[in-house]
Amino acid sequence: MFGSPVEMGAESLRRTGQGAGRFMLMLLAVAVVGCSSQPATGSSPSSVSFTGATASSGGAVAMKDEVVVRLWDNPQGFDPATLFRIETENVAFNIYSGLTTYDAKTGGIAPDLAESWENTDAQTWTFHLRHGVKWQGDYGEMTSADVLYSYNRVLDPATASPYRGEFASVQSIAAPDDYTVVIGLKAPDANFLHQVASYHQGQVLKKEAVEKYADQYQLNPVGTGPFMLDHFTQNSEIVLNRFDGYFRGPAQLKRVTYRIIKDDGTAEVALKNHEVDLSGTISDNGILARLGQDARFTMNKAVGYAVNLTMFNMEFEPFSKPQVRQAFAHAIDRDAIIKATAPITQSHADNMLPDWMDVASKDVPVYQFDPARARTLLAEAGYPNGFNLKLTGIATAGGASEGDLLRQDYLSKVGIKMDFEFVETAVYNQRRTSGDFQLAGRLLPAVNPDTILFGYLHPANTAPKGFNSARYNNPTVTGLLESARAETNDARRKELYASAERMVMTDLPYLPTAQSSTYWPGWAAVKGVEINKLADVSFWAVTVEA
């Protein structure tokens, strides 16, 4: 007989015959990196000891002019108004610029197309653009007219941008001259610099290029960033060439080649065979454990950058009741699953916001593993015998992950039967965005807390208009969020956010599953890889020793 919940979950895997080999390999890999010392609450992955290379070279070193990067999924297109998912964002981040950008080391706002700005009570923002910024191709100089076009295009309902809500507070956009942009807001927004950063709606594009390529623009992007698209072969590779006219100066590399390899195991082989220089993000903790012990590789990482959420569709009748959502939370030992399946890439989470955000509150309800409490809550909600549901996920060759199989086993013990429904990535994105699911997952990297809180919780962003796929609508929370965004006093703003977070985690439209870290193992010869809090890498300053 097996005793602990994780041991019983492992036995369930053996009984079903699904993923048992991978599960045992994972446990062995965990042992290799000494995870037995990691507390069940999920300590930071930065505590895992790797022996991979961190060496630097002295003297003159021959350099390569290309880096080959494994990309872990097939991007759907590079239009800032609609682009989605981290693999797509990573490519776009090297093609486009925003008025502002993020410092990869600090996570703070930094100048980009705007070299300076000022605001009046956080409501009227005036941006002063750099002179002489060139467009890729034969499109001349970037001016304020390009910024107006880009942002008005996101606001245009005909564009159907899921990021339209990010500009919901914009009342006016004006260009008094070629190098000045003035944005007036309906109410003060102390976080507005995030909305115009080089991420999604903040990225600036060229009207003439959009008109030239029409519905094929997403495969023919034109930006002002350090690299420009050479070609994109679906399910094969993406090649970016250096843009010599980049306003910060040409990149060190002449070319970035992304090779699309979806399977982590295949990516590990490609890295070891030096078919790629960087693995891109690897999620398999067993592979990370092996690579972390190999002195040839550097474990580039962004620790705790975002929170994984389980999304409850509150129009699915059982999930319309908060007791059911809370019962779901109590039924699963999330820390034990993290420890068994992802101790390197995941850690404990009780809040929707990652703990590095200064407005992330610890004063929120905590849902400890308590099956008896889960059964009581189900009975109070009118489901003493549980109910059936479907988890929608991305189809992979391996089927359900070890984590999902363990969740299935935990839920079955309180009477909730969870079946799996796997679809292709593009369908999965569409289903989540439209709200066509009962239960699904999402991870939304952000530096601006409003991207997460307004995106997931504000009724104006209810699916399919935005990312509020749970269809949550609590007027009190909405008011708190709007007041917090408008508040210019830091201490008072934190209090307002904390009140909203406490109420949301009581209502529980979304359950934090874990706080995630991302790792990009790469050959030690690749220098200057900085993964920002959006899990993006700029290749402008990256070098590769020959």
Side-chain angles (χ1 to χ4, degrees):
M1 293 291 291
F2 293 85
S4 74
V6 168
E7 289 171 330
M8 290 188 286
E11 174 60 23
S12 174
L13 293 179
R14 285 187 281 272
R15 289 197 305 268
T16 61
Q18 299 182 72
R22 286 185 295 153
F23 183 85
M24 295 308 296
L25 175 62
M26 183 67 68
L27 292 180
L28 289 171
V30 167
V32 168
V33 295
C35 292
S36 60
S37 63
Q38 186 173 8
T41 54
S43 62
S44 168
S46 62
S47 65
V48 177
S49 176
F50 288 132
T51 59
T54 57
S56 59
S57 302
V61 178
M63 308 302 291
K64 293 172 62 177
D65 64 4
E66 179 183 17
V67 66
V68 181
V69 184
R70 172 260 183 153
L71 201 62
W72 52 97
D73 210 340
N74 199 49
Q76 302 302 307
F78 307 109
D79 183 341
T82 57
L83 65 83
F84 192 54
R85 289 181 59 86
I86 296 172
E87 66 277 0
T88 307
E89 293 156 1
N90 260 279
V91 178
F93 191 65
N94 286 279
I95 295 174
Y96 295 106
S97 311
L99 291 181
T100 63
T101 190
Y102 293 110
D103 184 292
K105 293 182 182 294
T106 68
I109 288 285
D112 205 16
L113 294 175
E115 59 185 357
S116 64
W117 53 82
E118 63 261 6
N119 72 85
T120 303
D121 297 327
Q123 191 161 358
T124 300
W125 293 81
T126 301
F127 297 90
H128 303 286
L129 306 184
R130 298 178 189 272
H131 290 233
V133 174
K134 300 297 183 184
W135 286 103
Q136 299 159 6
D138 298 321
Y139 292 99
E141 184 181 6
M142 190 277 305
T143 69
S144 57
D146 299 312
V147 179
L148 265 63
Y149 169 75
S150 300
Y151 293 173
N152 281 324
R153 181 170 175 265
V154 171
L155 285 165
D156 185 351
T159 306
S161 172
Y163 310 116
R164 185 184 177 199
E166 298 294 316
F167 283 158
S169 64
V170 173
Q171 186 169 45
S172 63
I173 311 177
D177 58 57
D178 284 349
Y179 302 104
T180 306
V181 175
V182 180
I183 301 178
L185 306 181
K186 299 171 185 174
D189 182 354
N191 294 322
F192 186 71
L193 289 176
H194 294 285
Q195 306 297 67
V196 294
S198 184
Y199 182 61
H200 295 165
Q201 77 286 338
Q203 293 170 331
V204 177
L205 69 173
K206 188 65 176 170
K207 176 182 179 181
E208 287 78 5
V210 175
E211 292 175 342
K212 175 181 177 179
Y213 293 108
D215 61 355
Q216 292 301 302
Y217 175 79
Q218 63 178 350
L219 301 178
N220 296 275
V222 174
T224 57
F227 293 91
M228 51 190 177
L229 182 68
D230 180 82
H231 69 269
F232 175 14
T233 304
Q234 292 278 352
N235 296 306
S236 178
E237 70 174 15
I238 300 166
V239 175
L240 304 183
N241 290 333
R242 181 172 69 193
F243 175 40
D244 289 333
Y246 181 50
F247 62 86
R248 298 184 195 276
Q252 299 292 314
L253 296 166
K254 290 184 179 179
R255 184 177 298 106
V256 178
T257 298
Y258 298 93
R259 291 190 179 156
I260 299 169
I261 304 172
K262 296 184 179 182
D263 177 68
D264 276 359
T266 306
E268 178 188 16
V269 173
L271 182 66
K272 288 181 173 179
N273 289 344
H274 218 151
E275 297 165 10
V276 299
D277 300 302
L278 284 170
S279 70
T281 188
I282 284 184
S283 301
D284 187 303
N285 279 226
I287 293 173
L288 289 175
R290 289 194 293 272
L291 294 176
Q293 297 300 313
D294 192 324
R296 296 174 296 171
F297 305 119
T298 299
M299 303 300 285
N300 307 290
K301 62 184 182 293
V303 175
Y305 74 103
V307 176
N308 288 285
L309 298 178
T310 295
M311 303 192 297
F312 301 107
N313 186 339
M314 294 167 64
E315 290 187 351
F316 173 56
E317 197 276 333
F319 289 149
S320 67
K321 300 181 177 181
Q323 299 99 317
V324 172
R325 304 192 294 272
Q326 294 165 359
F328 188 103
H330 283 300
I332 299 171
D333 191 338
R334 291 171 287 148
D335 290 334
I337 292 175
I338 290 170
K339 187 176 181 181
T341 64
I344 298 173
T345 55
Q346 294 187 347
S347 58
H348 182 82
D350 286 320
N351 199 332
M352 295 175 63
L353 298 180
D355 55 20
W356 55 264
M357 285 188 174
D358 65 353
V359 299
S361 174
K362 295 185 181 300
D363 183 20
V364 294
V366 174
Y367 296 91
Q368 302 285 3
F369 175 54
D370 189 344
R373 178 61 178 156
R375 285 188 284 268
T376 298
L377 286 165
L378 287 172
E380 290 176 0
Y383 297 95
N385 300 316
F387 60 93
N388 296 349
L389 68 91
K390 284 186 178 180
L391 171 69
T392 301
I394 297 176
T396 63
S401 70
E402 284 81 12
D404 283 336
L405 289 169
L406 286 171
R407 290 181 190 92
Q408 181 187 51
D409 196 59
Y410 278 120
L411 291 169
S412 70
K413 290 176 170 56
V414 299
I416 300 175
K417 181 180 178 183
M418 184 174 77
D419 294 323
F420 301 111
E421 176 189 36
F422 296 114
V423 295
E424 292 301 314
T425 301
V427 176
Y428 181 60
N429 291 338
Q430 188 277 327
R431 292 274 299 274
R432 289 189 303 173
T433 302
S434 67
D436 182 17
F437 63 87
Q438 295 175 359
L439 191 75
R442 175 164 276 159
L443 178 145
L444 179 61
V447 182
N448 181 4
D450 286 342
T451 298
I452 296 172
L453 296 175
F454 274 73
Y456 282 129
L457 303 169
H458 199 285
N461 292 322
T462 299
K465 294 179 181 178
F467 294 138
N468 184 355
S469 298
R471 297 182 169 89
Y472 181 69
N473 186 0
N474 182 322
T476 303
V477 169
T478 300
L480 285 168
L481 293 179
E482 291 176 347
S483 296
R485 184 166 65 181
E487 180 58 62
T488 58
N489 179 277
D490 287 345
R492 177 57 181 153
R493 185 166 66 251
K494 287 181 181 179
E495 291 174 1
L496 291 166
Y497 278 125
S499 296
E501 292 163 41
R502 189 162 49 249
M503 191 171 295
V504 168
M505 294 311 301
T506 301
D507 292 344
L508 207 65
Y510 306 91
L511 172 66
T513 304
Q515 187 160 323
S516 285
S517 299
T518 186
Y519 283 78
W520 284 43
W523 283 85
V526 183
K527 309 294 185 183
V529 177
E530 296 281 357
I531 308 174
N532 68 19
K533 292 296 188 183
L534 301 170
D536 292 334
V537 173
S538 168
F539 285 98
W540 176 64
V542 170
T543 60
V544 182
E545 296 176 357

